[in-house]
Amino acid sequence: PDAPIGPLTGLSAVERARVTASARPTPPAADGPPGLWDRFAATVERCPDAVAVTDPAAGHTLTYRQLDRAAARYAAVLRRAGVGAGDRVIVQVDRSAAEVVAVLALLRTGACYVPVPRETAADWRTEVLRVTGATVAVTSAGLRGDWPERVRPVAPWAPDPAPDDESQIAQPQPQPQPRTADSTAYVSFTSGTTGTPKGVEVPDRAVIRLATDPDLLRAADDEDPGRRRSMLRMAPLAFDASTLELFHPLLNGDRVTILPPGPAAPREIGAFLREEGVTHAWLTAGLFRLMARHEAAALGALRQVLTGGDVVSPAHVRTVMEAGPGLRVTNGYGPTENTTFTTVHHVTSAEEVGDTVPIGRPVNGTGVLVADEAGRPVPPGVDGELYATGLGLAHGYAGDAGRTAAAFVTLPWLAGERAYATGDVVRWDDTGRLLFRGRRDRQIKVRGHRVELAAIEAHLRARPGVVDAHVSAVGTDDSDETDRAVLAAVVGPPASALRELVTSLADTFPPYARPALWCLVPSLPLNHNGKVDTAALAARAQPTE
Ligand code: ADP
């Protein structure tokens, strides 16, 4: 059972009302069937001839009707491989229309998908199999050998020679299996901060609440309300930005536009956005920075760019807004455990960008609470841990009741509402928006003292000539704190300015908090998840004398 947190003692009536109002999830925006497949089927009925998926690399374009048929036929293939309702099935397929078909066919079969990236360590795969009990894997050619023999491989969907061949359509297809709001849509593995994979089990309702948020994505065209959005599909399926990229379009009759598989440089992404007429894109904070520097015009030409997953740099938001005055840039914040977004903040002009980009307000069907270490709500202006409530919450961690109970708590003063403790430190500003302040675990200890890495980072970012900064801890996590050091990576200033940066920190921070290791880099290196690659920075760092 989830552990309670609270209480609301000591709060004024006004404070109490404010806290309960924001912690209570906003009501869901749209009515419709409770299961994800049925929601998709309803879209197919609404706009059968609209384009659902474009996969230029493979040369496929599928309308909603064609995608529905492809999913039905591929569901029959999965059934023959033994897949049934409630099963968990590995999906390890390159970014493609075939990946979309695999996901939909699994949902139609009553199963759920377990995305696994192309490059995974053997230990990771073993853990995924152990935790999910998966016995079937949809895998691209060349990847099947990675799995043990007891895992049955199924080749991904390939288009039929004659897509409109009536004899094929007439073949009996298994009926879609019933799904409920509670059915698991996918199990997404994140490494967490400790390195051991955690399988986050996400229910249908959580995905539906994201895809039906009426304010999340603006229309493709203010003048032509009938014009459909075209959403870039880029994030690895194992990364939950893919939930937005796939299901927002597919439940709204919009187009999923698939970037060719494999790594892509900013220039190639920019060219793709232009050539394919993409209107909406989600980029990690790191890729957003790179695109802002090299392809600002390509982003400026979109209707909306969503970014997040990490602290978003205000300078780069400004650059992109200046390149596209009609654009909307959205800072989307949230952990996988609360399904892609917990809060969002929309920026609509370059002028409004201050020294931080707020993470904003809760999305559809979501509530938030900011509380101190004892679980007591804190007033605006005070840092506390963010808790999320509502329809976006995951069931928990597959096969790990202990971790689930530690992270998912209940609010006794809100009729036992369930809440996820994000581990993120935030505060309310005086206009009712949330500001991201750092990770709880970015609060490190050096020789017994607490160090806020985010605070050092903010200080460096505000120095003249600094385009970007990243501060991390190097050294072991659990051992003696004496061998831990703070590393600062800085983008922008010339090497001769380093001295000045070091001195400027000495004015503000005590000696133990000052970075002992420094590096000047042309841009922050990113790992395959699009987050700042701290290991690469550590390899380059030099000690200050
Ligand atoms: P994501 O897919 O968003 O990276 P993870 O579950 O891997 O999801 O990581 C979630 C964590 O990433 C959050 O708890 C927070 O620390 C950080 N994060 C996500 N979005 C933002 C954002 N917009 N600003 C700052 N930090 C963010």
Side-chain angles (χ1 to χ4, degrees), residues 188-499:
S188 185
F189 282 83
T190 77
S191 56
T193 41
T194 56
T196 8
K198 298 192 277 194
V200 183
E201 282 189 294
V202 175
D204 282 18
R205 85 161 68 76
V207 178
I208 292 171
R209 85 89 163 74
L210 183 76
T212 56
D213 185 319
D215 304 316
L216 189 55
L217 298 193
R218 67 199 289 217
D221 193 324
D222 294 330
E223 260 79 72
D224 175 6
R227 200 177 138 216
R228 299 193 179 277
R229 303 180 188 103
S230 167
M231 180 79 176
L232 180 67
R233 167 86 190 92
M234 173 163 65
L237 194 63
F239 179 31
D240 80 346
S242 65
T243 308
L244 175 80
E245 293 177 346
L246 284 175
F247 291 104
H248 199 291
L250 293 179
L251 299 199
N252 289 282
D254 294 323
R255 177 191 296 228
V256 179
T257 303
I258 304 171
L259 186 75
R267 206 155 40 83
E268 294 163 295
I269 297 171
F272 184 83
L273 297 176
R274 277 188 289 268
E275 280 157 25
E276 297 300 327
V278 169
T279 59
H280 292 68
W282 191 97
L283 310 173
T284 60
L287 184 57
F288 180 83
R289 279 196 288 264
L290 279 180
M291 290 292 289
R293 296 182 69 189
H294 303 291
E295 285 291 331
L299 295 189
L302 302 182
R303 288 286 287 168
Q304 187 173 353
V305 179
L306 301 102
T307 180
D310 211 331
V311 176
V312 170
S313 144
H316 295 90
V317 172
R318 219 174 287 124
T319 307
V320 172
M321 285 305 308
E322 277 159 6
L327 183 68
R328 165 156 136 183
V329 174
T330 299
N331 183 10
Y333 156 84
T336 305
E337 287 84 344
N338 194 39
T339 317
T340 312
F341 292 147
T342 296
T343 65
V344 291
H345 173 72
H346 303 298
V347 177
T348 52
S349 79
E351 294 75 49
E352 76 189 68
V353 183
D355 1 318
T356 57
V357 187
I359 56 170
R361 299 186 163 86
V363 298
N364 184 34
T366 292
V368 288
L369 168 71
V370 186
D372 67 13
E373 276 170 18
R376 284 183 307 248
V378 298
V382 176
D383 284 352
E385 182 173 1
L386 179 68
Y387 290 79
T389 67
L391 301 171
L393 291 184
H395 287 313
Y397 304 111
D400 200 334
R403 265 181 172 176
T404 302
F408 293 83
V409 297
T410 54
L411 307 180
W413 42 269
L414 202 63
E417 187 78 40
R418 196 162 175 252
Y420 173 67
T422 64
D424 289 314
V425 178
V426 302
R427 64 162 64 165
W428 294 105
D429 72 6
D430 48 18
T431 65
R433 301 176 309 193
L434 287 167
L435 307 178
F436 184 82
R437 306 278 298 158
R439 277 295 302 173
R440 227 167 68 162
D441 46 24
R442 286 194 85 203
Q443 231 168 44
I444 60 153
K445 281 196 174 174
V446 177
R447 298 194 298 277
H449 301 282
R450 259 193 191 199
V451 178
E452 281 272 9
L453 298 177
I456 306 171
E457 214 167 86
H459 173 93
L460 290 174
R461 285 215 181 97
R463 305 301 303 168
V466 176
V467 175
D468 206 354
H470 186 83
V471 177
S472 49
V474 294
T476 49
D477 275 338
D478 45 6
S479 66
D480 189 30
E481 289 156 6
T482 48
D483 59 9
R484 183 177 296 150
V486 178
L487 179 154
V490 183
V491 181
S496 57
L498 194 60
R499 194 62 272 151

